[in-house]
């Protein structure tokens, strides 16, 4: 069945470090891919998305490219800030409009 | 900016008791969803709801679960007789269209603890 696997956390970085959070997926058909972020005490917020192969989603300095050949959608940011500390969820939505989420990766950014 | 709200933020209950988790979706949205996340595990789809009826449900959503939109603004998830394994974070979401390109907006979640 469809599924999403993302790297386990927590990930601890210093401010201005480079961030990569790996995400791979298994799906039939042509899913859309998403990264959601959850700040402490808040709901899941859409960070970025990509709806077809080779699309790049970007927002707030974060980027992820839909790679069909490697079934991946890795999240990257060139220079993280303390305010980026949150839990990041990779997700896919399949052709039947069902969402499948990864287990989340907690990011801690230290000043 | 409109947002999905959920109450309570944390619910503690005894095994076998009934609980009702409440959500207020964004006002012009028509599609509503419940998800749950057991601690340390993935966020899992439970059910989707449109036009006052369930449109899809997962195998998790058994006869112990029910959903309702009682008054045109609230969207509730009821668990009839809670089990220990129902302890999880429950997220409500809503969207204005079922289209695959449309975003689902999520609430902050209700943490349910069953003792």
């Amino acid at each position: 069945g469809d599924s999403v696997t993302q790297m386990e956390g927590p990930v601890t970085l210093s401010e201005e470090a480079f961030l990569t959070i790996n995400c791979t997926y298994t799906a039939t058909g042509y899913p859309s891919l998403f990264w959601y972020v959850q700040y402490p005490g808040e709901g899941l917020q859409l960070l970025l998305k990509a709806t077809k192969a080779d699309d790049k989603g970007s927002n707030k300095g974060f980027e992820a490219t839909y790679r069909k050949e490697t079934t991946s959608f890795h999240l990257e940011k060139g220079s993280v800030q303390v305010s980026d500390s949150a839990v990041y969820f990779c997700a896919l939505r399949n052709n039947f409009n069902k969402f499948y989420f990864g287990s989340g990766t907690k990011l801690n950014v230290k000043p | 900016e409109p947002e999905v709200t959920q109450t309570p933020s944390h619910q503690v209950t005894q095994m076998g008791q009934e609980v009702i988790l409440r959500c207020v979706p964004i006002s012009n949205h028509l599609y509503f969803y419940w998800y749950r996340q057991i601690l340390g595990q993935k966020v899992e789809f439970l059910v989707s709801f449109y036009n006052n009826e369930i449109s899809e449900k997962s195998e998790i959503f058994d006869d112990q679960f029910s959903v309702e939109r009682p008054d045109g603004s609230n969207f509730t998830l009821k668990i009839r007789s809670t089990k220990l394994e129902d302890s999880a974070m429950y997220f409500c979401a809503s969207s204005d269209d079922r289209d695959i390109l449309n975003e689902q907006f999520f609430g902050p979640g209700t943490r349910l603890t069953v003792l």
Side-chain angles (χ1 to χ4, degrees):
Chain A
D2 296 352
S3 66
V4 173
T5 303
Q6 61 181 105
M7 62 188 287
E8 288 189 23
V11 173
T12 301
L13 296 173
S14 298
E15 209 165 21
E16 299 184 2
F18 185 86
L19 168 72
T20 301
I21 301 178
N22 289 340
C23 171
T24 56
Y25 68 90
T26 301
T28 53
Y30 304 95
S32 294
L33 301 175
F34 304 80
W35 277 99
Y36 281 83
V37 58
Q38 185 178 32
Y39 298 103
E42 298 184 18
L44 297 172
Q45 300 175 24
L46 179 65
L47 181 60
L48 53 85
K49 68 180 180 183
T51 57
K52 62 182 187 298
D54 300 324
D55 267 3
K56 178 186 283 188
S58 61
N59 185 25
K60 300 181 182 180
F62 291 89
E63 292 182 341
T65 301
Y66 189 140
R67 300 280 189 208
K68 193 168 175 62
E69 64 276 16
T70 54
T71 61
S72 64
F73 193 55
H74 303 321
L75 182 68
E76 297 182 334
K77 186 174 185 182
S79 177
V80 293
Q81 306 300 311
V82 172
S83 57
D84 293 327
S85 297
V87 181
Y88 293 82
F89 293 88
C90 185
L92 73 82
R93 182 162 60 188
N94 65 14
N95 291 9
F96 302 98
N97 200 31
K98 284 192 175 178
F99 264 92
Y100 295 85
F101 285 83
S103 53
T105 302
K106 185 171 184 179
L107 172 65
N108 295 315
V109 181
K110 297 187 173 181
Chain B
E1 188 174 327
E3 58 182 16
V4 176
T5 59
Q6 291 185 240
T7 53
S9 57
H10 191 189
Q11 173 91 49
V12 181
T13 189
Q14 297 290 325
M15 190 169 56
Q17 295 297 304
E18 175 184 285
V19 293
I20 298 176
L21 309 183
R22 291 184 166 78
C23 168
V24 179
I26 294 173
S27 62
N28 63 337
H29 284 186
L30 301 175
Y31 297 85
F32 314 111
Y33 310 84
W34 282 102
Y35 295 81
R36 79 169 185 192
Q37 184 186 28
I38 295 171
L39 188 64
Q41 298 185 23
K42 298 184 178 186
V43 176
E44 302 169 291
F45 168 80
L46 291 178
V47 65
S48 60
F49 190 86
Y50 169 71
N51 200 26
N52 280 321
E53 59 183 28
I54 291 172
S55 46
E56 288 180 270
K57 60 182 181 179
S58 72
E59 54 276 7
I60 302 167
F61 194 88
D62 61 22
D63 292 343
Q64 292 297 313
F65 292 90
S66 62
V67 288
E68 195 177 31
R69 190 155 160 79
D71 57 13
S73 62
N74 288 282
F75 178 52
T76 61
L77 174 69
K78 182 192 289 186
I79 309 175
R80 255 178 279 280
S81 177
T82 50
K83 303 187 283 285
L84 295 176
E85 53 266 36
D86 294 327
S87 295
M89 180 75 89
Y90 289 80
F91 293 103
C92 173
S94 70
S95 67
D96 61 0
D97 195 287
R98 195 177 181 274
D99 188 276
I100 193 169
L101 297 178
N102 276 59
E103 179 184 347
Q104 292 184 16
F105 292 81
F106 286 81
T110 293
R111 181 168 297 284
L112 176 64
T113 301
V114 182
L115 303 176

